[in-house]
Amino acid sequence: MRLSVIVPCYNEEGNVKRFYEETVRALGDELMRDTELIFVNDGSRDATLAHLHEIYESSEYHVKVLSFSRNFGKEAALLAGLRAAEGELTSIIDADLQQRPEYILQMMEILDTHPEYDAVACYQDERKEGKLMSFVKTCFYKVIDSMTDVKIAQAASDFRLLRRPVVDAILSLPEKCRFSKGIFAWVGFETYLMPYTVEERTEGTSKWNFWKLLKYAFSGIISFSDKPLIISSIVGIILFCIAILMMIVVVIKTLIWGDPVAGFPTLCSLLLLLSGVQLLSVGILGQYMAKNYTETKDRPVYILKEELKK
Ligand code: UDP
Ligand code: MG
């Protein structure tokens, strides 16, 4: 198999059929015969699965339909797709046609003509989102870059084409909290950054909102860095030092001048001292726990309910 195309789908009833038709048209019959389309139905609650079944029944090409028992998120869908992919090249693309399938051909051409590259990642040449959103995203990437050793290409999307060794490297990471942008950067390899234009979503709605993105950003930082824990320890130490200083000041003031309301500052400094020590110990404990917690639970990233393959 030359190409695997992974398509995560969550409530995309208005898009999947059109996506299938346009992909077949874009890739052409010859390439399609050597391509597998892997649709991952991420627990859609609309008619997406029924539409995928229809595509599966009527298609003359290789189509796989993996269906989750509930919504596990795009990251889980990507992992399932990568595990199922058999192609020498693997592409990841959204089902909503915001990423045109024609770009897959361009990415293939880059890898064909540049053997030194192992992957192509598309980035938006102009961001179509609001000013606030793009500001928040820029801040997030600055924070994560300063906290982790891996450099996450800021604008690069999940719309990618990967050679087999890259896919194998990604699959070799056993972690359960999967933050793809970090994983793509962590496995290394030479990645070509290709600009592309994002289309407007014509059917359905985006599954991301501000809070979901914020949660995603935090989980990304936690997955790729233990600095938050170190920071909490440092804050603890600083509070502790301030409290000691305050205590000394209170004692000296009382001894020399005899402070009439000494009870209040004593309370303040004690409170600071205690919360400082608490933060410090929680930080240290957390460092050990965070390492173990996710891995020891060892739950699968997703549950497959149905798997169709042809
Ligand atoms: N998606 C998914 N599971 C989810 C959320 C999204 O499989 O829990 C899929 C979705 O169907 C789409 C892709 O991930 O194919 C990108 O989602 P979306 O278009 O909502 O993101 P945006 O383009 O707004 O960043
Ligand atoms: Mg989209």
Side-chain angles (χ1 to χ4, degrees):
M1 194 80 63
R2 174 138 171 71
L3 175 69
S4 300
V5 180
I6 299 170
V7 197
C9 312
Y10 177 52
N11 294 347
E12 303 282 4
E13 60 181 359
N15 289 316
V16 282
K17 280 193 168 163
R18 215 156 53 87
F19 173 86
Y20 173 79
E21 283 156 17
E22 302 211 5
T23 305
V24 169
R25 198 176 316 136
L27 298 187
D29 182 64
E30 199 189 326
L31 179 57
M32 273 307 295
R33 300 216 168 271
D34 214 6
T35 295
E36 56 173 1
L37 295 179
I38 306 172
F39 292 97
V40 186
N41 172 38
D42 184 12
S44 300
R45 276 183 282 266
D46 61 1
T48 304
L49 186 59
H51 288 216
L52 290 178
H53 281 162
E54 283 172 32
I55 293 171
Y56 177 80
E57 296 299 336
S58 61
S59 175
E60 52 188 304
Y61 304 109
H62 301 285
V63 175
K64 287 178 179 167
V65 178
L66 312 178
S67 206
F68 289 175
S69 59
R70 64 166 171 86
N71 178 247
F72 283 92
K74 187 182 173 186
E75 296 290 339
L78 291 186
L79 177 65
L82 287 171
R83 282 183 179 158
E86 294 171 47
E88 293 156 40
L89 297 173
T90 299
S91 176
I92 298 166
I93 184 169
D94 288 352
D96 54 13
L97 286 167
Q98 285 191 278
Q99 304 167 338
R100 297 295 313 170
E102 287 81 6
Y103 287 113
I104 296 178
L105 289 179
Q106 287 188 31
M107 290 197 275
M108 286 179 79
E109 188 163 336
I110 290 170
L111 286 192
D112 283 343
T113 51
H114 295 79
E116 69 275 22
Y117 284 107
D118 304 295
V120 185
C122 283
Y123 70 91
Q124 298 181 29
D125 49 5
E126 49 167 325
R127 285 205 179 265
K128 282 198 177 139
E129 56 216 3
K131 278 215 169 71
L132 177 71
M133 194 61 125
S134 83
F135 174 74
V136 171
K137 283 191 180 172
T138 313
C139 289
F140 164 63
Y141 288 113
K142 286 229 168 84
V143 169
I144 198 167
D145 269 357
S146 66
M147 286 208 176
T148 57
D149 297 333
V150 295
K151 286 284 161 272
I152 294 173
Q154 209 200 94
S157 64
D158 286 345
F159 187 21
R160 284 164 193 252
L161 184 70
L162 314 168
R163 281 195 212 273
R164 179 58 25 202
V166 184
V167 175
D168 290 340
I170 293 170
L171 290 178
S172 73
L173 297 193
E175 61 208 66
K176 307 286 172 187
C177 299
R178 301 194 70 94
F179 176 66
S180 287
K181 280 192 194 329
I183 290 177
F184 287 136
W186 189 90
V187 295
F189 294 99
E190 293 302 319
T191 303
Y192 184 99
L193 286 174
M194 187 181 103
Y196 85 116
T197 310
V198 181
E199 307 292 321
E200 295 291 338
R201 196 184 239 279
T202 49
E203 295 288 333
T205 50
S206 170
K207 275 84 202 172
W208 295 98
N209 57 37
F210 182 77
W211 292 111
K212 269 191 159 179
L213 272 178
L214 201 68
K215 220 177 116 192
Y216 182 67
F218 274 122
S219 97
I221 292 175
I222 299 291
S223 301
F224 276 84
S225 162
D226 50 12
K227 280 204 185 137
L229 293 167
I230 297 170
I231 291 171
S232 93
S233 304
I234 292 173
V235 170
I237 293 170
I238 293 174
L239 283 182
F240 180 83
C241 295
I242 294 176
I244 295 285
L245 278 178
M246 269 181 83
M247 275 180 180
I248 293 171
V249 170
V250 169
V251 168
I252 291 177
K253 268 175 86 177
T254 314
L255 284 181
I256 300 180
W257 294 290
D259 199 333
V261 280
F264 180 66
T266 317
L267 211 67
C268 263
S269 48
L270 266 178
L271 220 73
L272 262 177
L273 172 77
L274 284 180
S275 51
V277 172
Q278 269 168 6
L279 255 179
L280 173 70
S281 13
V282 169
I284 293 171
L285 256 182
Q287 296 208 36
Y288 291 103
M289 268 187 60
K291 295 254 189 303
N292 286 305
Y293 175 60
T294 330
E295 299 308 320
T296 42
K297 272 205 294 187
D298 205 27
R299 287 186 191 152
V301 180
Y302 55 83
I303 305 284
L304 265 187
K305 194 169 78 178
E306 182 191 61
E307 191 173 359
L308 302 171
K309 180 181 171 184
K310 78 170 180 188

